[in-house]
């Protein structure tokens, strides 16, 4: 369990993800129902990257996703009988695309009536009709519209202008105008700009430098200056770095060791940092990060959509990102 | 599970825990089923409102229940209520969410619900706006308590900016500057406070309330203290970069280079001194090389290159970044 871990326990992680649905007699399982759709997306994507997509039943998963459709609001909730939200809607679309089952939804309806209706006059997107705004929701909208093949319905300049207004002097982005740069928001803003072919809005050298400075002496990455490392930033920082072709600017060996040291070698799963409780969120982002770092035996991850790269390529949506070459051993 | 330590439990221990949780689980499931069923029937009663309180006290992440609670207020409780009772209801909700935030300071939905409450406080009593003023003013005190508990909580900082920008009686921005001074003096390493300071200054300059050149000279003094206190702390160096900006002012650029070179003499291995010197010398070349000619430009370039080579030894994880900059400089 210590920093001496030298391999990824694929079988344990697959078993851990498979077991997540077996805990229906556990209070925590029910207390996290509001995250179910996202959790399924995280679990499925991690399985795909480990080459074990078949570990969860496809039909059962598609049925679950469709049972979360909220016909009144339009859009997907995180769980049956939960309200529609852009976060759950994006995960639902990503799951359906991964399973080649997008024909189950009325794409034009989701794109126009659901997603585009959430764009605010400022150009940012709200998460639902209650109006919370965040650049995360702009990314969800851009990502989903792109996967639905409806990007041409989007007012690109208006969308970009809000993201531009969130840019700070350190090259990074915050979650709304005036907010501090945060690695998670850097991921969503840079990836949204990548999808919109507007990376000219990014100061590549300054942001690359800010991202490289996220690496701490123990190899892990933090999300803001003078904060602690956390496995989830391994994906958020690395995604932006691979889009900007700056992955070589940090020590990938040390980061790989850090992510591996956060594994639970007995029960499977990855935690935020060594010795902590594992969860599917950190398991997914840890494995996603390892894929971008060229960890041997993993499937390529598309850092823009955070989905298996071959699926995005087959749809003709691949952008010009660069991951590290896949290692042999 | 951020920050929760892993414990190895035997299957017996897990079974015992589940056994203990059984009654809790049963209560929670029947409570949430009841609330969801009422929501489906568009039940906007006070009983249902009280049930949402119970669910949210157990699970403040249940966003659907927050939505339902707001709908009960909008379509049920508010309809028959006087403005005074509406104000009381919203004030109660603000108190309820203050308690919730203390236990869950990073839950988006709670912060979001507070905004909705504030925005729905009615005018009154009578022709006044006293209810609005009282509620919004109290928010600043709440958010300050949250930032006392965690000075880097970005939810709290975002909320603070939102309150300051929208409260009915705006506070002078100079007061916010004083607040960031207090936070920075308490901890030089609080980058969130430095960030806030950069936003407040920008606004004060744009509105003409402060003279940009004068503020920058004052700020360079403040940040120098921080740099000397801990030369390895990124916060001050980042703020320093903001003050220098694109480096159009040659005099400031040169005097800051001199100041950092003095610090470097005391701290010869300071990565941030060296990295900043490279950045500022590159700005000097970019903006002012026409003024001092080719020979000096060449000298500055070779200083940058030797610093970058030194950085590759001092800071090996980012070695390739420094090499890429060397390559860029060699190409010019």
């Amino acid at each position: 369990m210590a920093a001496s871990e030298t391999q990824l326990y694929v079988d344990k992680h697959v078993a851990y993800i498979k077991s997540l649905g077996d805990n229906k007699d556990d209070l925590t399982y029910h207390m996290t129902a509001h995250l179910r759709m996202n959790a399924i997306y995280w679990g499925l994507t991690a399985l795909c990257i480990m080459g074990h997509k078949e570990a969860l039943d496809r039909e059962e998963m598609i049925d679950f996703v469709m049972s979360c459709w909220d016909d009144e609001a339009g859009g997907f909730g995180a769980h049956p009988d939960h309200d529609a939200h852009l976060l759950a809607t994006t995960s639902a679309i990503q799951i359906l695309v991964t399973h080649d089952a997008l024909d189950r939804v009325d794409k034009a309806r989701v794109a126009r009536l659901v997603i585009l209706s959430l764009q605010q006059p400022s150009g940012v997107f709200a998460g639902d009709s209650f109006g919370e705004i965040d650049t995360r929701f702009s990314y969800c909208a851009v990502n989903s519209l792109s996967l639905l093949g409806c990007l041409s319905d989007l007012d690109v300049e208006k969308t970009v202008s809000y993201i531009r207004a969130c840019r700070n002097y350190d090259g990074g982005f915050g979650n709304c105008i005036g907010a501090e740069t945060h690695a998670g928001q850097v991921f969503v803003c840079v990836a949204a700009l990548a999808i919109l072919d507007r990376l000219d809005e990014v100061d590549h050298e300054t942001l690359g430098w800010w991202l490289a400075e996220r690496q701490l002496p123990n190899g892990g990455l933090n999300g803001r200056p003078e904060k602690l490392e956390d496995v989830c930033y391994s994906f958020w920082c690395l995604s932006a770095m691979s889009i900007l072709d700056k992955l070589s600017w940090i020590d990938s060996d040390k980061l790989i060791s850090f992510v591996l040291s956060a594994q639970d070698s007995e029960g499977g799963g990855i935690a935020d940092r060594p010795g902590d409780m594992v969860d599917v969120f950190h398991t997914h982002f840890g494995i996603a990060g390892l894929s971008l770092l060229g960890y041997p035996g993993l499937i390529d991850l598309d850092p823009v959509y955070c989905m298996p790269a071959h699926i995005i390529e087959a749809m003709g949506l691949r952008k010009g990102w660069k991951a590290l070459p896949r290692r042999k051993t | 599970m951020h920050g929760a330590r892993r414990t190895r439990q035997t299957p017996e221990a897990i079974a015992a825990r589940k056994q203990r949780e059984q009654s809790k689980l049963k209560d929670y499931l029947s409570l949430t089923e009841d609330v969801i069923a009422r929501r489906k029937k568009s039940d906007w009663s006070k009983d249902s409102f009280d049930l949402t309180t119970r669910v949210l006290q157990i699970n403040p992440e249940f966003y659907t229940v927050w939505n339902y609670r707001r709908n009960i207020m909008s379509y049920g409780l508010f309809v028959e209520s006087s403005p005074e009772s509406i104000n009381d209801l919203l004030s109660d909700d603000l108190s309820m969410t203050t308690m919730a935030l203390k236990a869950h300071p990073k839950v988006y939905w709670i912060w979001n619900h507070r905004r909705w409450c504030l925005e729905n406080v009615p005018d009154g009593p009578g022709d006044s706006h006293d209810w609005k003023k009282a509620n919004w003013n109290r928010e600043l005190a709440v958010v300050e308590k949250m930032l006392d508990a965690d000075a880097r909580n970005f939810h709290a900082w975002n909320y603070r900016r939102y309150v300051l920008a929208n409260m009915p009686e705006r506070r002078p921005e100079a007061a916010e500057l004083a607040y960031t001074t207090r936070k920075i003096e308490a901890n030089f390493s609080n980058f969130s406070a430095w960030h806030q300071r950069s936003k407040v200054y920008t606004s004060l300059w744009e509105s003409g309330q402060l003279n940009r050149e004068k503020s920058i000279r004052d700020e360079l003094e403040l940040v120098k203290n921080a740099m000397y206190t801990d030369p390895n702390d990124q916060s001050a160096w980042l703020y320093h970069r903001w003050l220098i900006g694109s480096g159009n002012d040659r005099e400031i650029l040169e005097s800051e280079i001199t100041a950092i070179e003095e610090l470097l003499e005391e701290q010869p291995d300071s990565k941030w001194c060296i990295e900043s010197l490279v950045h500022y010398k590159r700005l000097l070349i970019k903006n002012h090389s026409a003024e001092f000619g080719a020979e000096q430009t060449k000298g500055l370039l070779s200083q940058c290159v030797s610093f970058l080579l030194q950085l590759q030894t001092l800071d090996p994880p980012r070695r390739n970044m420094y090499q890429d900059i060397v390559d860029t400089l060699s190409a010019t």
Side-chain angles (χ1 to χ4, degrees):
Chain A
M1 190 172 72
S4 59
E5 298 293 357
T6 52
Q7 58 159 318
L8 183 69
Y9 296 105
V10 170
D11 292 347
K12 301 258 184 197
H13 300 322
V14 171
Y16 164 73
I17 292 169
K18 278 182 77 166
S19 76
L20 290 170
D22 301 337
N23 295 323
K24 296 189 176 68
D25 58 344
D26 196 312
L27 185 58
T28 314
Y29 177 84
H30 297 280
M31 291 278 281
T32 53
H34 61 278
L35 283 173
R36 193 74 72 238
M37 185 72 82
N38 310 84
I40 292 172
Y41 156 71
W42 295 325
L44 172 63
T45 307
L47 288 173
C48 288
I49 298 308
M50 292 188 289
H52 287 272
K53 185 178 179 179
E54 76 301 332
L56 292 175
D57 186 78
R58 176 179 185 269
E59 292 312 314
E60 201 183 316
M61 195 183 296
I62 294 171
D63 287 347
F64 176 84
V65 169
M66 295 317 296
S67 73
C68 296
W69 175 255
D70 174 351
D71 202 55
E72 198 184 324
F76 290 92
H79 188 273
D81 290 328
H82 289 209
D83 287 345
H85 195 282
L86 195 46
L87 290 170
T89 301
T90 305
S91 289
I93 293 170
Q94 289 174 307
I95 295 166
L96 293 175
V97 168
T98 301
H99 277 314
D100 193 19
L102 206 51
D103 56 349
R104 299 290 292 269
V105 296
D106 179 348
K107 292 190 240 179
R109 183 181 172 204
V110 177
R112 298 197 185 115
L113 295 178
V114 180
I115 298 172
L116 289 170
S117 72
L118 293 171
Q119 189 164 32
Q120 308 296 300
S122 66
V124 70
F125 280 77
D128 62 16
S129 58
F130 286 95
E132 180 189 7
I133 56 147
D134 194 308
T135 46
R136 284 182 302 152
F137 306 145
S138 296
Y139 169 71
C140 287
V142 168
N143 179 328
S144 303
L145 287 170
S146 167
L147 292 174
L148 291 167
C150 298
L151 207 52
S152 56
D153 293 338
L154 178 73
D155 184 337
V156 172
E157 184 44 43
K158 191 169 145 183
T159 309
V160 170
S161 73
Y162 190 87
I163 296 175
R164 181 191 301 133
C166 295
R167 193 176 61 203
N168 291 311
Y169 67 89
D170 50 27
F173 298 85
N175 78 329
C176 61
I177 293 173
E180 181 184 347
T181 296
H182 178 290
Q185 309 295 145
V186 168
F187 154 60
V188 294
C189 291
V190 171
L193 292 170
I195 293 172
L196 298 172
D197 295 319
R198 291 302 300 274
L199 287 174
D200 56 306
E201 296 291 345
V202 178
D203 179 342
H204 293 228
E205 187 184 322
T206 305
L207 181 54
W209 162 77
W210 186 89
L211 288 163
E213 289 297 344
R214 298 305 103 237
Q215 189 164 38
L216 297 172
N218 68 3
L221 309 183
N222 63 16
R224 291 186 284 159
E226 303 302 329
K227 297 274 289 178
L228 285 177
E229 71 286 351
D230 184 321
V231 161
C232 57
Y233 297 115
S234 309
F235 173 73
W236 292 329
C237 294
L238 292 183
S239 162
M241 295 180 92
S242 52
I243 293 169
L244 303 178
D245 192 13
K246 301 281 189 259
L247 274 184
S248 66
W249 282 15
I250 55 169
D251 185 331
S252 50
D253 288 340
K254 285 180 88 169
L255 178 53
I256 289 174
S257 299
F258 170 74
V259 176
L260 294 179
S261 71
Q263 296 180 102
D264 180 343
S265 56
E266 289 176 42
I270 302 177
D272 59 347
R273 57 182 72 94
D276 281 359
M277 291 274 282
V278 302
D279 58 67
V280 67
F281 172 89
H282 288 95
T283 305
H284 160 69
F285 285 114
I287 289 168
L290 290 175
S291 173
L292 292 174
L293 293 170
Y295 190 85
L298 294 177
I299 306 290
D300 290 349
L301 175 97
D302 184 296
V304 175
Y305 292 86
C306 197
M307 287 167 61
H310 61 91
I311 293 175
I312 298 301
E313 262 174 54
M315 295 174 83
L317 297 175
R318 193 195 194 281
K319 300 296 172 183
W321 51 270
K322 261 194 185 153
L324 294 183
R326 184 78 42 219
R327 300 176 185 205
K328 296 272 180 276
T329 51
Chain B
M1 294 280 182
H2 280 111
R5 297 303 289 176
R6 188 184 305 156
T7 48
R8 192 67 58 197
Q9 286 183 316
T10 60
E12 293 76 28
I14 294 171
R17 175 176 55 79
K18 284 187 177 173
Q19 190 59 39
R20 281 198 307 278
E21 279 176 6
Q22 273 312 302
S23 68
K24 250 187 177 171
L25 175 61
K26 222 175 117 226
D27 292 350
Y28 180 72
L29 287 179
S30 75
L31 177 63
T32 52
E33 273 162 28
D34 188 9
V35 168
I36 291 293
R38 286 163 179 259
R39 167 180 157 278
K40 271 192 175 164
K41 288 186 292 186
S42 301
D43 174 340
W44 312 134
S45 67
K46 177 76 168 60
D47 276 355
S48 299
F49 181 81
D50 292 340
L51 288 176
T52 65
T53 310
R54 281 182 53 202
V55 175
L56 293 168
Q57 278 170 346
I58 303 169
N59 186 3
E61 300 250 28
F62 204 152
Y63 68 90
T64 303
V65 178
W66 285 113
N67 294 346
Y68 180 36
R69 185 179 182 85
R70 288 190 285 271
N71 283 339
I72 294 175
M73 290 199 261
S74 299
Y75 305 130
L77 308 188
F78 287 179
V79 177
E80 304 280 309
S81 296
S82 65
E84 187 167 16
S85 328
I86 294 176
N87 180 51
D88 288 345
L89 271 168
L90 290 169
S91 302
D92 286 352
D93 250 38
L94 286 167
S95 305
M96 188 267 267
T97 48
T98 305
M99 298 300 289
L101 277 179
K102 279 184 189 155
H104 310 277
K106 294 182 178 175
V107 171
Y108 285 94
W109 314 109
I110 306 177
W111 291 103
N112 199 28
H113 185 69
R114 289 187 85 84
R115 295 188 188 214
W116 183 88
C117 291
L118 281 175
E119 287 163 18
N120 281 280
V121 172
D123 288 336
D127 294 333
S128 79
H129 298 286
D130 290 352
W131 290 331
K132 278 192 172 150
K133 286 180 195 165
N135 278 306
W136 282 85
N137 288 338
R138 198 172 51 211
E139 286 309 277
L140 268 191
V142 169
V143 84
E144 280 179 27
K145 282 223 175 72
M146 296 301 295
L147 288 172
D148 287 342
D150 175 3
R152 297 298 304 277
N153 182 340
F154 70 83
H155 298 272
W157 281 105
N158 281 342
Y159 191 71
R160 181 176 181 86
R161 281 183 282 272
Y162 160 80
V163 171
L164 288 170
N166 293 288
M167 58 199 301
E169 282 178 305
R170 300 284 163 86
R171 282 194 335 163
E173 283 182 292
E176 187 59 5
L177 212 50
Y179 180 71
T180 62
T181 309
R182 282 214 307 282
K183 296 307 272 184
I184 290 166
E185 282 173 351
N187 183 1
F188 273 139
S189 178
N190 184 348
F191 181 72
S192 303
W194 290 108
H195 167 84
Q196 175 76 337
R197 203 168 170 83
S198 74
K199 296 293 173 188
V200 176
Y201 264 121
T202 304
S203 170
L204 285 165
W205 296 334
E206 278 170 3
S207 61
Q209 293 177 69
L210 279 182
N211 175 283
R212 190 167 184 276
E213 280 67 37
K214 161 117 184 32
S215 323
I216 286 187
R217 284 182 196 281
D218 294 345
E219 288 303 284
L220 286 169
E221 272 309 303
L222 174 74
V223 79
K224 199 170 167 183
N225 275 334
M227 279 150 50
Y228 271 80
T229 307
D230 181 0
N232 292 318
D233 192 289
Q234 299 189 5
S235 310
W237 292 104
L238 283 164
Y239 187 72
H240 191 268
R241 278 206 188 196
W242 174 70
L243 289 171
I244 301 293
S246 55
N248 292 324
D249 188 325
R250 182 176 165 186
E251 194 195 321
I252 286 186
L253 204 47
E254 287 178 332
S255 73
E256 288 307 300
I257 287 174
T258 307
I260 298 169
E261 282 171 342
E262 282 166 13
L263 179 54
L264 181 63
E265 274 173 35
E266 286 179 34
Q267 308 271 345
D269 288 336
S270 165
K271 167 195 147 170
W272 283 91
C273 277
I274 302 173
E275 185 165 34
S276 302
L277 283 172
V278 171
H279 181 68
Y280 296 137
K281 286 179 190 236
R282 285 178 73 194
L283 286 181
L284 203 54
I285 297 168
K286 191 178 162 211
N287 294 309
H288 307 287
S289 63
E291 298 152 42
F292 47 65
E295 205 49 42
Q296 203 179 330
T297 303
K298 228 175 118 190
L300 283 166
L301 271 173
S302 77
Q303 283 167 15
C304 287
V305 169
S306 66
F307 275 143
L308 287 160
L309 295 177
Q310 195 183 344
L311 283 167
Q312 293 185 36
T313 319
L314 276 176
D315 185 24
R318 282 164 281 269
R319 173 173 82 229
N320 293 332
M321 172 173 80
Y322 302 122
Q323 185 56 45
D324 280 359
I325 302 172
V326 170
D327 295 345
T328 310
L329 292 179
S330 313
T332 51

